[in-house]
Amino acid sequence: MKLVAAVRGCGTVYFALDGELPASYAVDVVSKSGNLIPYSSHLIDSLLVIAIPLLEGEDFNLSVFSSNQKLNRLFSKNFGWDEIKWISRFNYRFKSSLSYLIRDSDRQVYSNQIHVRPTILLKSADGSELICKGVICYPHSEILARLDVIDSDGRALAYKPDFGRTNTIDMGGLKRKETSFSLRLSVGPKSYCLVANVESKSVQTGFLCFDPASVEFYSDVCSPHFYKASSPGLYSEFCAKRHDYLAMLDSCDFDTSCSLKFSIVVPLYKTPLKFLHEMIDSVLNQIYLNWELILINSTPDCVELCSALDQLKDERIKVVTLDSNKGISGNTNFGIAEAKGDYVVFFDHDDTLDPFALYRYAERIQDCPDTDALYCDEDFLNEDGEYVAPHFKSDFNLDLLRVHNYITHLLCVRASFAKELMLRKKFDGAQDYDFLLRLVERTQNIYHVPEVLYHWRISDTSTAKSAGNKNYADDAGRRALQEHLDRCGLNGTAELTDSACFYHIAYALNEEPLVSIVIPNKDSVEVLRRCIDSIEEKTDYRNFEILVVENNSTEDATFEYYRTVPEQYENVRIATWDGPFNYSAINNYGVGLTSGKYLLFLNNDTEVIEGCWLSSMLSFCQREDVGAVGAKLLYPDDTVQHAGVMMICCKNEGEMGGPVHVFNNLDRDDPGYMRRAVISQDLSAVTAACMMTKRSVFEELNGFNEDFEVAFNDVDFCLRVRSLDKLVVFDADALLYHYESFSRGYETGEKKIRFMREQGKLRTAWAEYYVNGDPYHGPMSTM
């Protein structure tokens, strides 16, 4: 036999051998130090194709011989990895048809073949580990034996994967099994290879190689991150399309006849002339024309700046020159006092606006005249003139604002509020944050325009570049937040965090009411025992009761545990639900047997991690404006199972859309997009795997809707809480494990029918979310 091609592709090398092949043959791939390297082989167009992982370690020998005559080698050759690289390049160039025929061909073969496929790949929050989740697909009749890890030289490493559930799937009429796995690997310069085997020796080995190029590829296509549209490549494409769109527009196509006037206030301080002109031009280029631009020059000794301002001719531009610098608050206040418009717009001296900024704001105010303030999405304008790192924001989110000024730009406020509040000099550095916190105490008619209309410049003179170094600004923000909490009568302490411009609030409890924890259960006694023991042994807050609602258990061990657990813990009781499984009905029944002022719904497959979980959830739930609170739940592999629920809008009537868990599968400490995976905030919904609510709210809503027997009952409940104009809070400090499989698989048969039926009910009940999307996560969140 002779080698006719060898090509590399996504962590695999494919060798194509031509020549007479006996009915029974064998393959050996051995590294220089004698380690066996996994392989798979199959026939394509009379060629024998052998696939091996792209390890790039030691040289290796590839041999093919007759199974009955091992000494009778049909092919044998030593290879070096550099040699393979050049052979591959040659073949792609001069034998392209053959190269693409054999590349990835192993992934199309299912008979007696194992496939290892990644579904999630990312680095841990500290960058030290590679987190891989995936599935092993193998013949239906087989039993998975193991998943091993080898290094670049073929040596076995001591990594042990976590296995999830096994599902049966259909591959073109062929029944196969899929078993999910999760694995953490140390990040390093070398390659890793996952090697899967079943108990039968007749089934070929499956493997997945993580060489550096494959890691980069899989990290892109298997990333669990939300807001993928913010990635450099995708956002660059978005900006290019936006530029082309704006180039084709004629401002005459838009109705700008509205009498509404904007007063744009810009404090100037040693502003570079290039930035000044770009800022002013972005205002002059606004499609909406009814505005005044008030420039407050606080550096009268800057001759070049004063000269440039003297040359401005547009009558809508007003220059106010101060005798000296009064600080950012003082300078801005002069502009606010001079404003003659209906709304005051706060604009930094070195930033720029999208041409549609004021037009979009005017549209909103015309549609909703009670709008008191507006803000938009924004990005950064770097020193190369590129738009990068967009911030796609939540609609008005009080609890998010209380830990971070996510609103920032382009803030536009009704003039009466701006003139009443002004900026306060003692909070310089965080004067805008203090202003916002005082504003939301007066009005929450604050509207988010979900478009990138503001470009925040990154330069040596900009606040965007230096914000992380301004410790005084951080402390000013903390003081502003503390004053806000005090004015609102909230018993909380504002704290600094390790991240600049992000804060934490430690709420104190106003009282210590009884919390009733309701846990539905069927058998799974060890799961339930782990849950209850963790609550009893780790929870700091002690005024709670646990009601286990028994539902159709059959195992003797379960009833024995029911008999003994109240003896072990006097605050645990058992109740029996005699009907068929209906999550909503079971919990409603359980609530009727409890007496707590607050209710905590908890799955039996959860485990408390940190003792503050219950008091933290209660500290949010005790607020009058809060109706439900959810916890942060982790898979046992320390990745995120739940950090809140979001509704996905449907682009058309044929899409299902619906609720999904945000930041699912991120590393436990990964901050996520704009740190939203690790900070408490308001959301549309949270999971009832661990959810607290007030009894008064629960009764006002008549409990869970029993039409939702299994799925979506928690989402429906939370959306009904929102309809009461109460908040649903995700509490990032309440941390539990949730032993739900990290790959739940696919529902089949009657379960699938029921799931689809219940999703249809949710879609009918809450159609506005399917049409408009989630107010707390913008339209770019899943793009």
Side-chain angles (χ1 to χ4, degrees):
M1 302 188 73
K2 65 177 182 178
L3 179 70
V4 294
V7 295
R8 306 191 307 175
C10 202
T12 305
V13 181
Y14 299 89
F15 298 92
L17 303 177
D18 190 19
E20 186 175 347
L21 190 67
S24 179
Y25 66 92
V27 176
D28 258 352
V29 187
V30 184
S31 70
K32 187 175 181 180
S33 58
N35 298 309
L36 292 176
I37 295 174
Y39 72 90
S40 65
S41 64
H42 51 279
L43 296 174
I44 296 183
D45 293 351
S46 76
L47 296 175
L48 174 62
V49 178
I50 300 170
I52 71 167
L54 181 58
L55 297 177
E56 296 191 299
E58 297 179 343
D59 293 354
F60 64 93
N61 176 268
L62 169 64
S63 297
V64 181
F65 48 84
S66 171
S67 294
N68 297 325
Q69 303 176 40
K70 193 163 185 177
L71 295 177
N72 182 17
R73 294 180 181 261
L74 305 173
F75 176 84
S76 182
K77 180 173 172 54
N78 292 321
F79 290 96
W81 293 104
D82 285 340
E83 176 188 9
I84 288 175
K85 177 174 67 176
W86 290 108
I87 292 174
S88 177
R89 290 178 177 178
F90 176 87
N91 287 329
Y92 275 124
R93 182 169 184 178
F94 296 106
K95 299 181 180 180
S96 59
S97 296
L98 177 58
S99 297
Y100 287 108
L101 174 68
I102 63 174
R103 175 178 169 154
D104 300 331
S105 56
D106 56 328
R107 294 167 194 174
Q108 312 305 317
V109 177
Y110 292 98
S111 180
N112 293 322
Q113 179 68 56
I114 303 172
H115 296 147
V116 185
R117 185 179 77 252
T119 55
I120 298 292
L121 191 72
L122 76 159
K123 285 186 178 180
S124 61
D126 63 6
S128 67
E129 293 179 312
L130 196 65
I131 302 171
C132 175
K133 299 189 181 190
V135 293
I136 304 165
C137 182
Y138 51 98
H140 188 265
S141 60
E142 300 296 339
I143 297 174
L144 183 65
R146 63 184 188 275
L147 179 66
D148 300 315
V149 182
I150 62 174
D151 67 8
S152 58
D153 294 325
R155 288 187 292 263
L157 302 174
Y159 288 105
K160 292 189 179 299
D162 293 318
F163 289 107
R165 69 177 61 187
T166 297
N167 300 302
T168 296
I169 62 169
D170 184 284
M171 299 295 295
L174 182 66
K175 288 176 69 175
R176 302 264 292 177
K177 286 180 182 174
E178 277 191 348
T179 298
S180 59
F181 69 88
S182 175
L183 185 66
R184 287 176 179 252
L185 301 167
S186 297
V187 170
K190 292 187 176 182
S191 301
Y192 292 104
C193 183
L194 312 187
V195 185
N197 285 284
V198 296
E199 291 187 351
S200 172
K201 301 298 183 184
S202 63
V203 177
Q204 296 199 74
T205 296
F207 60 83
L208 175 68
C209 186
F210 290 126
D211 64 299
S214 297
V215 168
E216 182 177 350
F217 172 75
Y218 289 130
S219 296
D220 183 32
V221 300
C222 299
S223 166
H225 291 88
F226 275 66
Y227 294 93
K228 292 184 177 67
S230 65
S231 64
L234 290 177
Y235 191 63
S236 177
E237 292 178 16
F238 170 83
C239 291
K241 291 178 181 177
R242 176 78 170 177
H243 179 270
D244 293 343
Y245 169 70
L246 293 175
M248 295 186 295
L249 291 180
D250 187 332
S251 60
C252 297
D253 294 335
F254 299 90
D255 180 11
T256 59
S257 59
C258 176
S259 61
L260 183 75
K261 185 174 184 177
F262 295 102
S263 295
I264 307 170
V265 175
V266 184
L268 306 177
Y269 179 76
K270 297 182 180 179
T271 307
L273 295 189
K274 178 178 183 297
F275 296 166
L276 174 75
H277 291 308
E278 290 181 3
M279 179 270 293
I280 294 173
D281 286 346
S282 76
V283 177
L284 293 172
N285 291 331
Q286 289 297 299
I287 289 173
Y288 187 81
L289 304 177
N290 194 5
W291 51 263
E292 63 174 352
L293 176 60
I294 304 172
L295 303 175
I296 313 300
N297 180 15
S298 64
T299 48
D301 55 342
C302 185
V303 177
E304 287 187 343
L305 178 60
C306 292
S307 175
L309 295 174
D310 288 341
Q311 296 176 39
L312 299 174
K313 303 302 181 183
D314 195 300
E315 61 183 13
R316 295 170 296 177
I317 302 177
K318 182 176 182 178
V319 178
V320 177
T321 301
L322 306 180
D323 57 5
S324 62
N325 179 27
K326 312 297 183 184
I328 183 63
S329 294
N331 298 340
T332 305
N333 286 341
F334 272 96
I336 295 173
E338 291 286 336
K340 302 297 189 292
D342 302 283
Y343 286 79
V344 172
V345 180
F346 296 89
F347 190 21
D348 290 347
H349 68 157
D350 52 358
D351 299 339
T352 64
L353 300 180
D354 182 273
F356 272 93
L358 297 183
Y359 180 78
R360 293 296 187 224
Y361 280 25
E363 272 188 321
R364 164 64 188 187
I365 296 169
Q366 279 188 299
D367 292 341
C368 300
D370 64 344
T371 299
D372 292 320
L374 305 95
Y375 62 98
C376 62
D377 295 342
E378 60 188 293
D379 60 16
F380 289 99
L381 175 59
N382 69 19
E383 293 167 335
D384 295 324
E386 301 167 327
Y387 300 117
V388 298
H391 181 185
F392 302 117
K393 302 174 185 176
S394 165
D395 283 2
F396 181 66
N397 194 321
L398 179 59
D399 283 289
L400 182 59
L401 182 63
R402 282 176 173 160
V403 293
H404 173 57
N405 180 10
Y406 77 94
I407 288 177
T408 51
H409 307 112
L410 173 70
L411 180 62
C412 169
V413 181
R414 191 181 295 275
S416 58
F417 281 117
K419 291 177 181 290
E420 173 198 350
L421 294 172
M422 293 298 206
L423 302 184
R424 299 198 289 179
K425 183 176 180 59
K426 69 176 183 177
F427 294 105
D428 272 1
Q431 72 287 336
D432 51 349
Y433 188 39
D434 170 65
F435 179 89
L436 275 167
L437 291 172
R438 289 184 291 128
L439 177 66
V440 302
E441 295 164 22
R442 289 160 171 76
T443 179
Q444 293 188 5
N445 292 330
I446 299 174
Y447 184 74
H448 166 224
V449 178
E451 292 183 54
V452 177
L453 302 175
Y454 192 95
H455 308 301
W456 193 356
R457 189 183 299 276
I458 304 173
S459 72
D460 290 335
T461 60
S462 70
T463 57
K465 191 167 186 177
S466 60
N469 299 319
K470 297 197 303 181
N471 294 330
Y472 77 92
D474 250 9
D475 187 63
R478 183 199 60 77
R479 289 188 287 109
L481 177 57
Q482 186 63 60
E483 284 198 10
H484 164 73
L485 296 174
D486 294 342
R487 288 191 301 269
C488 292
L490 295 173
N491 191 3
T493 302
E495 301 171 339
L496 295 173
T497 69
D498 293 336
S499 299
C501 305
F502 285 84
Y503 306 96
H504 178 266
I505 300 174
Y507 287 106
L509 295 176
N510 300 325
E511 56 176 340
E512 293 191 4
L514 179 66
V515 178
S516 296
I517 302 175
V518 180
I519 307 175
N521 185 72
K522 178 182 178 181
D523 290 320
S524 306
V525 65
E526 292 307 317
V527 171
L528 178 63
R529 188 195 310 275
R530 177 182 60 205
C531 176
I532 292 178
D533 285 350
S534 74
I535 297 171
E536 296 286 358
E537 294 169 8
K538 296 181 181 178
T539 304
D540 294 339
Y541 185 86
R542 299 311 302 174
N543 193 14
F544 63 87
E545 64 173 350
I546 298 175
L547 179 74
V548 178
V549 184
E550 150 61 24
N551 170 231
N552 296 320
S553 294
T554 60
E555 299 173 2
D556 292 340
T558 303
F559 295 100
E560 175 61 19
Y561 180 68
Y562 289 162
R563 186 186 66 78
T564 59
V565 70
E567 299 173 359
Q568 182 181 7
Y569 304 116
E570 61 182 14
N571 59 349
V572 176
R573 292 183 291 127
I574 311 296
T576 300
W577 167 260
D578 291 325
F581 181 80
N582 180 315
Y583 179 88
S584 298
I586 290 171
N587 279 288
N588 290 343
Y589 169 74
V591 167
L593 301 175
T594 62
S595 54
K597 184 177 179 180
Y598 292 85
L599 306 171
L600 191 287
F601 300 99
L602 190 66
N603 279 17
N604 64 350
D605 60 344
T606 55
E607 179 184 1
V608 173
I609 298 175
E610 296 177 353
C612 68
W613 73 286
L614 194 57
S615 57
S616 182
M617 295 178 76
L618 183 58
S619 72
F620 279 108
C621 206
Q622 70 182 355
R623 283 172 26 196
E624 180 60 32
D625 59 345
V626 173
V629 181
K632 183 172 183 177
L633 304 180
L634 305 177
Y635 291 121
D637 65 355
D638 278 323
T639 59
V640 175
Q641 191 267 340
H642 169 267
V645 175
M646 71 169 287
M647 303 294 290
I648 301 177
C649 71
C650 301
K651 297 184 180 67
N652 57 65
E653 294 85 343
E655 289 186 346
M656 284 303 293
V660 297
H661 285 196
V662 292
F663 304 117
N664 185 239
N665 288 306
L666 283 187
D667 186 31
R668 169 178 176 160
D669 298 320
D670 192 318
Y673 183 71
M674 298 305 298
R675 300 194 63 80
R676 291 190 65 182
V678 294
I679 54 179
S680 300
Q681 62 203 269
D682 304 325
L683 294 176
S684 293
V686 293
T687 179
C690 182
M691 181 182 75
M692 180 180 286
T693 189
K694 298 179 177 73
R695 181 179 292 273
S696 58
V697 170
F698 190 81
E699 291 176 348
E700 184 176 0
L701 294 173
N702 294 315
F704 289 107
N705 184 342
E706 295 182 10
D707 286 342
F708 294 98
E709 300 175 14
V710 178
F712 308 121
N713 32 60
D714 46 5
V715 176
D716 171 76
F717 181 84
C718 288
L719 296 182
R720 286 189 288 133
V721 167
R722 293 293 299 120
S723 71
L724 298 177
D725 202 26
K726 291 191 177 294
L727 299 174
V728 174
V729 178
F730 162 64
D731 181 0
D733 295 326
L735 203 61
L736 296 89
Y737 283 119
H738 187 194
Y739 287 86
E740 178 189 61
S741 172
F742 44 76
S743 178
R744 296 190 63 184
Y746 307 100
E747 301 286 14
T748 57
E750 287 299 319
K751 290 183 178 180
K752 183 175 183 179
I753 293 171
R754 182 194 62 214
F755 180 87
M756 298 298 285
R757 183 168 57 241
E758 293 189 347
Q759 188 173 80
K761 292 175 184 176
L762 189 72
R763 183 169 180 156
T764 300
W766 302 103
E768 63 268 32
Y769 285 90
Y770 287 83
V771 173
N772 300 323
D774 195 304
Y776 294 110
H777 287 280
M780 308 298 281
S781 58
T782 56
M783 296 178 63

